[in-house]
Amino acid sequence: MKERPSWHEYFMQMAKLVTERSTCERRQVGAVLVKNNQIIASGYNGAPKGITHCGVSGCLRKRLDVPSGQKHELCRGVHAEQNTIIQAAVNGTSLVNSVLYTTNFPCTICAKLIINAEIKTVYVLEDYPDALAKEMFGEADTEVILINLDDHSLKKIV
């Protein structure tokens, strides 16, 4: 009988799958919100509902050669973490004490939303150098853990 993935591996693999819906030209990110080992919302980065996708309109940040992690306000896209929180809100689902699995470490803007939504743990597949987000997560006692799917290890980042 085939060995089953751990819950962490299962949910992170789901977040990786969600990235395939991303319409961002620069970075594909997927996120899954979980409560009591049940998926309650998922999201990927891309333009808001009914808005032209970046693949059609072009990426302003790319055209202006804006470095990664800067000038998020110039982006047409909504981040994956933001979309999961929005999806839960639209469906009337509380996120208090939920767990977020996301393929990339959240930016400062997403960190603020995660903290205020009272999501207590964030699992990430890739780290990201956002010192302010890390500082805020630490101050809010929001745990951030890096998952390595190759060796099944977990490493606390914040």
Side-chain angles (χ1 to χ4, degrees), residues 1 22 24 49 53-54 61 66 74 83 92 111 130 137 154 158:
M1 185 171 168
S22 171
C24 180
K49 291 178 184 178
H53 293 298
C54 301
R61 293 178 75 231
V66 175
L74 296 179
N83 272 325
D130 191 325
F137 280 137
L154 302 175
V158 179

Side-chain angles (χ1 to χ4, degrees), residues 12 17 22 29 37 44 57 65 72 83 90 93 95 119-120 134 138 141-142 145 155:
M12 189 55 78
L17 178 63
S22 171
V29 180
N37 285 337
Y44 52 87
S57 67
D65 199 29
H72 291 286
N83 272 325
V90 166
T93 304
L95 301 181
I119 298 166
K120 290 301 173 193
K134 289 178 181 175
D141 290 326
T142 303
I145 299 169
K155 176 186 174 192

Side-chain angles (χ1 to χ4, degrees), residues 15 34 109 124:
V34 175
I109 295 167
V124 300

Side-chain angles (χ1 to χ4, degrees), residues 99-111:
V99 176
L100 178 68
Y101 290 84
T102 183
T103 55
N104 291 79
F105 187 92
C107 71
T108 299
I109 295 167
C110 290

Side-chain angles (χ1 to χ4, degrees), residues 21-40:
R21 292 283 305 156
S22 171
T23 60
C24 180
E25 293 186 356
R26 290 174 58 138
R27 179 186 314 240
Q28 290 68 50
V29 180
V32 174
L33 271 165
V34 175
K35 199 168 193 178
N36 300 320
N37 285 337
Q38 297 291 316
I39 295 173
I40 55 175

Side-chain angles (χ1 to χ4, degrees), residues 11-154:
F11 293 127
M12 189 55 78
Q13 289 290 1
M14 296 296 282
K16 283 178 63 176
L17 178 63
V18 173
T19 66
E20 294 184 24
R21 292 283 305 156
S22 171
T23 60
C24 180
E25 293 186 356
R26 290 174 58 138
R27 179 186 314 240
Q28 290 68 50
V29 180
V32 174
L33 271 165
V34 175
K35 199 168 193 178
N36 300 320
N37 285 337
Q38 297 291 316
I39 295 173
I40 55 175
S42 65
Y44 52 87
N45 57 329
K49 291 178 184 178
I51 304 297
T52 304
H53 293 298
C54 301
V56 175
S57 67
C59 177
L60 179 58
R61 293 178 75 231
K62 192 175 182 179
R63 276 198 310 270
L64 297 174
D65 199 29
V66 175
S68 181
Q70 296 180 17
K71 298 193 178 281
H72 291 286
E73 70 276 7
L74 296 179
C75 180
R76 296 172 62 84
V78 179
H79 290 187
E81 301 90 337
Q82 295 166 1
N83 272 325
T84 59
I85 292 169
I86 292 165
Q87 185 183 69
V90 166
N91 292 318
T93 304
S94 170
L95 301 181
V96 174
N97 295 319
S98 61
V99 176
L100 178 68
Y101 290 84
T102 183
T103 55
N104 291 79
F105 187 92
C107 71
T108 299
I109 295 167
C110 290
K112 294 174 195 179
L113 296 173
I114 290 164
I115 291 164
N116 277 356
E118 299 184 38
I119 298 166
K120 290 301 173 193
T121 307
V122 179
Y123 289 92
V124 300
L125 194 57
E126 294 180 21
D127 199 358
Y128 187 76
D130 191 325
L132 181 56
K134 289 178 181 175
E135 178 184 327
M136 290 191 309
F137 280 137
E139 190 173 336
D141 290 326
T142 303
E143 192 173 41
V144 183
I145 299 169
L146 181 68
I147 293 180
N148 184 323
L149 293 177
D150 293 328
D151 67 10
H152 312 288
S153 65
L154 302 175

